Amino acid sequence: AIIVGLLYGVEGKLSSVSFGLDTFTTWSQIEQKSLEYSWIFAMAYFMADMTGNPALWAVALLVTLFDIGIYFQEYFYRKLSGCSLYDAGDFEKRLKLLGAIRNTRVWLLIPFFVLEKWELGLWTIAFYTSITFFITQYSSFKNTRVLFSLDKTT
């Protein structure tokens, strides 16, 4: 999962030369998200079996639902504005760099992998993804207000 996550992240950066999405790109994104969610649920399965803690399934579901929420916030902003939410300002560019996306979650998981603390790693990823969701929510609302001239302060 770690190697695949890193390779998919590099592929995404290299292939994002154009902003337009064709059918192949959309199916590729669905495939990538499905792969990402499958390894999160595989981790939950492995850890729940190992520790006997069925709550880890809920943690994996939480990561998945928050990540889908982040995707839809970005999607709706892109449809309303014609540009990416992450191009709306400096804060949003930093959010893209530090927010919970596949690459940052994989890098966050590496220390837990080394220390063999998988369960804590999954909980940390869930917390990190939920924080990113709420920050993205704030950014999306703030920039949508500016977009529709409801708030001229930013």
Side-chain angles (χ1 to χ4, degrees):
I2 291 172
I3 293 171
V4 170
L6 294 174
L7 291 176
Y8 265 123
V10 170
E11 178 268 334
K13 299 280 188 238
L14 294 175
S15 68
S16 63
V17 175
S18 69
F19 186 75
L21 295 175
D22 58 3
T23 305
F24 176 75
T25 305
T26 304
W27 283 109
S28 174
Q29 288 176 339
I30 291 170
E31 180 262 334
Q32 289 177 11
K33 285 292 185 186
S34 299
L35 181 65
E36 181 181 351
Y37 299 148
S38 69
W39 69 258
I40 290 172
F41 278 103
M43 279 181 23
Y45 172 78
F46 170 73
M47 288 183 289
D49 187 44
M50 188 173 68
T51 64
N53 184 0
L56 296 174
W57 285 101
V59 174
L61 183 62
L62 188 72
V63 171
T64 303
L65 292 176
F66 274 123
D67 193 63
I68 290 170
I70 292 168
Y71 172 78
F72 277 112
Q73 290 175 59
E74 297 166 357
Y75 176 80
F76 287 126
Y77 185 81
R78 188 177 333 120
K79 286 296 182 184
L80 290 172
S81 69
C83 69
S84 172
L85 175 62
Y86 299 119
D87 292 332
D90 290 335
F91 174 78
E92 288 76 11
K93 288 178 184 171
R94 282 189 228 101
L95 177 62
K96 172 104 173 145
L97 180 65
L98 298 173
I101 55 174
R102 181 186 322 110
N103 288 356
T104 54
R105 283 192 290 248
V106 169
W107 283 108
L108 181 65
L109 190 60
I110 290 174
F112 296 103
F113 170 73
V114 171
L115 298 173
E116 295 183 9
K117 300 287 186 184
W118 289 96
E119 186 174 353
L120 183 59
L122 188 60
W123 281 99
T124 304
I125 287 173
F127 177 74
Y128 185 50
T129 305
S130 65
I131 294 298
T132 302
F133 170 82
F134 290 113
I135 292 172
T136 304
Q137 184 81 32
Y138 165 76
S139 178
S140 178
F141 286 155
K142 178 188 77 157
N143 289 302
T144 302
R145 288 182 61 139
V146 171
L147 186 66
F148 289 110
S149 301
L150 298 174
D151 184 10
K152 299 282 190 185
T153 60
T154 53

